[in-house]
Structure formats: C-alpha cells, structure tokens
Amino acid sequence: MSANKSAAKRIRTGEKARIRNKSRRAALKTAEKKFNAFVEAKEMDKAQEQLKDVFKKLDKAAKVGTIHKNKRDRKKSRLVAAMKAAV
C-alpha cells in the first residue's frame, strides 16, 4: 500500500504506461521480423512496404517515449543498410 495519494496514482499510471509500452514494443519487434523475413527472401517490393510500417512504428515509439530517439535512429540506419546489402 502506498503512503499517500500521489504515490498511489504514480503506481496506477506507471502500470498503464508499462502495458502500453509493452504492447508498442511487441508490435515493433513483429514488424521488424516481418521486414527481415522479406529481406532474406529477396522480396524487395514487400520489404520496402514493410520498411515504411517499421519506420512509422519506430517514430511513434520514440515520440511517446517508449524508446529513445537515438535507438530509433540506429535501428532505422541498420534496417536500411540491411536492405541495401541484400540487393
């Protein structure tokens, strides 16, 4: 039990944020896996479409604070490099 009202509220809001962040991270990982599968299969047109989706999810996650902006930039760079290497 928390000591005061504000601590109780922080516990509640923290739990809600944890669930949102967990969901957002899971969706991001799934999108990255799909992209990597397309790249390995040399399906570049599908990979390009999936890359847009991954970028969108990365940008949203960084915007709301689920991941750090530097992590977003690093992941974007590595995904594009992987696509170029597969060509």
Side-chain angles (χ1 to χ4, degrees):
M1 191 67 192
S2 56
N4 55 34
K5 284 177 135 183
S6 61
K9 184 173 181 180
R10 288 303 302 157
I11 291 169
R12 288 193 308 271
T13 58
E15 181 62 19
K16 288 177 187 176
R18 185 186 70 82
I19 292 167
R20 272 194 308 268
N21 289 338
K22 185 176 179 182
S23 173
R24 196 168 280 124
R25 274 191 222 105
L28 184 56
K29 284 182 183 180
T30 302
E32 286 181 54
K33 286 180 185 179
K34 284 181 183 178
F35 170 78
N36 288 329
F38 287 138
V39 169
E40 285 183 21
K42 305 280 187 199
E43 297 179 26
M44 292 305 155
D45 53 335
K46 290 182 181 178
Q48 186 66 38
E49 288 299 315
Q50 187 62 30
L51 187 62
K52 289 180 186 177
D53 185 46
V54 175
F55 277 13
K56 183 179 174 182
K57 289 182 187 308
L58 281 168
D59 289 336
K60 180 67 173 181
K63 178 182 173 186
V64 297
T66 300
I67 63 172
H68 196 274
K69 291 180 180 181
N70 291 352
K71 182 173 185 173
R72 174 202 59 197
D73 294 342
R74 186 175 62 244
K75 282 190 173 278
K76 281 183 170 185
S77 177
R78 289 179 181 173
L79 291 170
V80 170
M83 189 163 175
K84 286 183 179 179
V87 172

